[in-house]
Amino acid sequence: MAKQLRERWASKIGLILAMAGNAVGLGNFLRFPTQAAQNGGGVFMIPYMLSMILIAIPLMWVEWAIGRFGGIRGHGTTPGIFRLLWPKRISKYLGVLGLFVPFVVVCYYVYIESWTLGYAIYSLFGLLPHLPQGVGANSAAYLKPFKDLLISYTGMGKGAFYHPSLTAYIIFLITIGLNIWILAKGISGGIEKLAKVAMPTLFILAFILMIRVLTLKTPNGSAIEGLNFLWTPKWALLKNPKVWLAAAGQVFFTLSLGFGAIITYASYLKENDDLVISGLSASALNELAEVILGGSIAIPAAVAFFGVIAAQKIASSGAFNLAFVSLPAIFTSIPFGRFFGFFWFVLLFFAGLTSSVAIAQPIVAFLEDEFGITRNKAVLFTVIMMFIIAQFPIFLAKSLDEMDFWAGTLFVVVFALIEVLVFFWGYGSDRAWEEINRGAIVRVPRIFYPIIKYLTPLFLAIILSWWLIDVLPGYLSNANWYVWVTRVMLIGILIFLCMLIHLSSKRRRG
Amino acid sequence: MNTSALIFMGFSWGVVILLCIYCFTKLFSRQDKTQ
């Protein structure tokens, strides 16, 4: 067994906060409430919790176990780990998705993260549009100045090219700089320290905002009506398969499964560190941020200000509108709103930053482990690549959506399916089961053995098939030249990463 | 709040809070082996 000297987490709580930081992102505060509101309200939680038990939690344990298995053998990413788990020529190339997905996602994620920092600064210094006190009946007119600001900030207008503001670009550079600084300080000195500060701050800010929102009342509605809107069960929708698929998709994304980041973080565990309760604790913190805090801010605030009908429209208009248009409009209209707006965007920024360093780490770890280069050089190489690729979503129309669809939606499910098949079927289910339970504070109940072996891959295959049949044809047919530029760029990244894997393999043999 | 919304919200919040309590109790009831 070729053991290398790898970094380790300095403390258990640091590890759990970093893992929770990886999982808690913009989706917890924006995607969950809009998905729940659109898919049955309270009854959404029935498929949500079942999916959590049958897909998300088993897959989370699989990823932690794969990571710890690889880490003690000197590998923090799937090309190296899959080769050990399933010694076939193709296995290391199947692991390329463990690099491709996080790398592509981080390239556009850092840019969105920079918007939250920019808007936090705008909020604090009172640079957001000023509106007269009181709420107009017409929410569209009320929100217009905020929509205009978002368009002028990001430059996302019509046409093939975007023209972001200079401020947006400078703040993007600052955000990249912050990511470099944290990544260069390493696992315990950078990522773990960040998580210990950012995660408690995030929870405190979310709690303050939740209390403020739940006491909102206007002539149009109240936050309590918002909670009614979000949680009242619409039983008829439970028969709709799309609601079940939406719930399965939500639990999948909320725990950041299939991104490769959990595997890389878990590779810094020690050989007999517990992963069963540690993984469950990080997932529990993520659920706290999602179900309790995430469900009590954006939608209740929108209903309190604009009423149920307008809030429905806002919920269906997407996460960006909710985060950067509706919520700032609401916060600027309440007393001390400048500070609440600032809290909201700092909360999103911390959620984004703890996730972006997590999804940048797999490439850094790959370069360190497989090519033996120093951390600083690995970070520099990663960030230069990130910076180049990030120009596509910044300047090219539809590039961000395209990158999100392929890497952040489709390939995460493909990769998760590959992970569970390689681990439970390639490596062997009995050995995989023992690997999960080694050092466990509490062993995983035996019922999860058949769940992980049969049900989890089956459910993943169903989700994937539905997307391939229902979503993919529409996506492929609706494309113009600049969408194809992004697709060619994505294929280029995939080929480049396969070449790196090939080179690292030759280097090991040589 | 209406009763059905309250039941669903209360149940969901309850599950999450109990899960957090269970995990962190188990986690810190044993000597921290990562130190």
Side-chain angles (χ1 to χ4, degrees):
Chain A
M1 190 186 297
K3 287 194 183 184
Q4 292 182 4
L5 195 64
R6 297 182 89 241
E7 279 191 90
R8 298 283 175 227
W9 296 101
S11 66
K12 195 184 283 181
I13 191 69
L15 157 72
I16 288 163
L17 288 175
M19 282 285 195
N22 166 43
V24 175
L26 273 63
N28 293 59
F29 297 93
L30 302 167
R31 196 175 189 273
F32 168 74
T34 51
Q35 287 286 314
Q38 288 166 19
N39 291 292
V43 293
F44 181 74
M45 293 311 288
I46 295 172
Y48 181 92
M49 284 189 181
L50 274 174
S51 304
M52 190 60 81
I53 294 166
L54 297 178
I55 303 175
I57 299 293
L59 208 52
M60 177 273 297
W61 280 325
V62 165
E63 292 201 353
W64 276 68
I66 290 176
R68 187 182 60 179
F69 173 92
I72 55 179
R73 291 163 177 82
H75 298 279
T77 48
T78 44
I81 302 173
F82 281 5
R83 194 171 48 83
L84 295 173
L85 287 170
W86 191 48
K88 305 276 176 197
R89 185 179 279 265
I90 195 176
S91 57
K92 59 179 179 287
Y93 295 107
L94 287 176
V96 72
L97 288 181
L99 301 175
F100 177 81
V101 167
F103 178 68
V104 171
V105 172
V106 79
C107 290
Y108 66 83
Y109 197 86
V110 167
Y111 183 47
I112 300 167
E113 180 188 321
S114 77
W115 301 355
T116 62
L117 180 60
Y119 268 63
I121 295 166
Y122 275 33
S123 298
L124 187 65
F125 292 102
L127 299 173
L128 291 176
H130 291 281
L131 294 165
Q133 289 294 313
V135 182
N138 184 349
S139 65
Y142 191 78
L143 295 175
K144 192 174 179 305
F146 292 89
K147 277 187 180 161
D148 292 344
L149 175 69
L150 185 61
I151 290 168
S152 69
Y153 186 86
T154 61
M156 288 182 170
K158 286 173 183 153
F161 296 101
Y162 295 150
H163 305 281
S165 64
L166 184 63
T167 313
Y169 203 81
I170 290 169
I171 292 174
F172 162 69
L173 294 177
I174 293 169
T175 310
I176 286 252
L178 272 171
N179 277 272
I180 298 175
W181 184 56
I182 294 155
L183 288 166
K185 284 183 174 290
I187 293 297
S188 57
I191 291 171
E192 188 170 340
K193 280 187 180 165
L194 166 75
K196 282 180 173 172
V197 174
M199 291 310 288
T201 310
L202 182 151
F203 277 100
I204 291 166
L205 292 178
F207 188 72
I208 292 169
L209 284 171
M210 182 179 86
I211 298 297
R212 181 65 194 94
V213 165
L214 292 181
T215 52
L216 273 178
K217 197 168 168 57
T218 76
N220 287 340
S222 69
I224 301 302
E225 285 170 38
L227 290 177
N228 271 334
F229 166 64
L230 186 63
W231 289 102
T232 301
K234 300 166 189 82
W235 290 100
L237 285 175
L238 203 56
K239 286 183 243 162
N240 187 343
K242 285 193 175 179
V243 170
W244 289 78
L245 286 162
Q250 178 59 27
V251 295
F252 194 85
F253 295 123
T254 191
L255 291 186
S256 296
L257 299 165
F259 278 79
I262 293 177
I263 292 175
T264 301
Y265 270 11
S267 75
Y268 300 104
L269 286 168
K270 289 179 198 155
E271 191 166 359
N272 288 314
D273 277 349
D274 160 80
L275 62 82
V276 177
I277 292 294
S278 302
L280 210 53
S281 304
S283 306
L285 282 180
N286 178 70
E287 290 312 298
L288 183 71
E290 176 152 301
V291 176
I292 298 181
L293 301 169
S296 306
I297 298 175
I299 294 287
V303 171
F305 255 72
F306 304 115
V308 170
I309 295 166
Q312 270 173 326
K313 268 191 191 168
I314 290 167
S316 60
S317 67
F320 286 168
N321 267 322
L322 196 58
F324 296 100
V325 177
S326 307
L327 268 292
I330 291 166
F331 288 133
T332 52
S333 305
I334 60 177
F336 304 105
R338 177 195 291 194
F339 298 104
F340 288 113
F342 175 68
F343 288 173
W344 169 245
F345 287 112
V346 169
L347 156 80
L348 293 185
F349 178 67
F350 278 165
L353 185 62
T354 49
S355 298
S356 67
V357 292
I359 49 179
Q361 184 61 27
I363 289 278
V364 175
F366 174 74
L367 295 171
E368 280 184 285
D369 296 336
E370 310 301 331
F371 288 94
I373 64 173
T374 62
R375 186 202 305 144
N376 284 347
K377 279 184 185 167
V379 170
L380 190 67
F381 180 82
T382 305
V383 173
I384 289 171
M385 293 300 297
M386 256 168 71
F387 178 76
I388 294 167
I389 301 300
Q391 306 311 309
F392 284 84
I394 294 175
F395 291 106
L396 193 66
K398 302 279 179 198
S399 190
L400 197 156
D401 293 338
E402 200 62 20
M403 289 163 81
D404 185 50
F405 175 74
W406 292 104
T409 309
L410 194 66
F411 282 155
V412 284
V413 186
V414 175
F415 185 52
L417 183 59
I418 291 171
E419 279 172 356
V420 75
L421 290 177
V422 166
F423 195 45
F424 253 70
W425 291 85
Y427 182 58
S429 50
D430 289 339
R431 291 162 80 195
W433 182 253
E434 281 315 307
E435 183 62 37
I436 290 173
N437 283 296
R438 183 157 41 80
I441 295 172
V442 176
R443 284 181 72 87
V444 177
R446 188 73 189 174
I447 183 73
F448 278 98
Y449 182 92
I451 288 176
I452 302 175
K453 191 170 181 181
Y454 302 107
L455 281 182
T456 306
L458 179 70
F459 275 99
L460 289 170
I462 291 170
I463 297 172
L464 196 59
S465 308
W466 178 74
W467 275 336
L468 291 176
I469 295 163
D470 199 67
V471 183
L472 193 63
Y475 231 88
L476 288 174
S477 62
N478 186 20
N480 45 33
W481 69 266
Y482 43 87
V483 168
W484 278 105
V485 169
T486 303
R487 285 178 190 170
V488 169
M489 177 268 288
L490 291 174
I491 293 167
I493 293 173
L494 200 59
I495 293 170
F496 176 69
L497 291 172
C498 284
M499 281 166 56
L500 283 184
I501 291 168
H502 181 70
L503 281 176
S504 72
S505 177
K506 267 178 76 176
R507 183 182 168 271
R508 275 190 177 262
R509 281 200 303 268
Chain B
M1 269 184 89
N2 68 51
T3 312
S4 55
L6 197 60
I7 289 169
F8 272 92
M9 193 180 93
F11 176 73
S12 304
W13 284 33
V15 168
V16 170
I17 290 166
L18 286 176
L19 183 65
C20 286
I21 292 170
Y22 171 79
C23 288
F24 283 94
T25 308
K26 285 283 177 196
L27 200 63
F28 293 107
S29 63
R30 203 172 79 158
Q31 189 64 33
D32 190 341
K33 285 193 169 180
T34 64
Q35 299 295 329

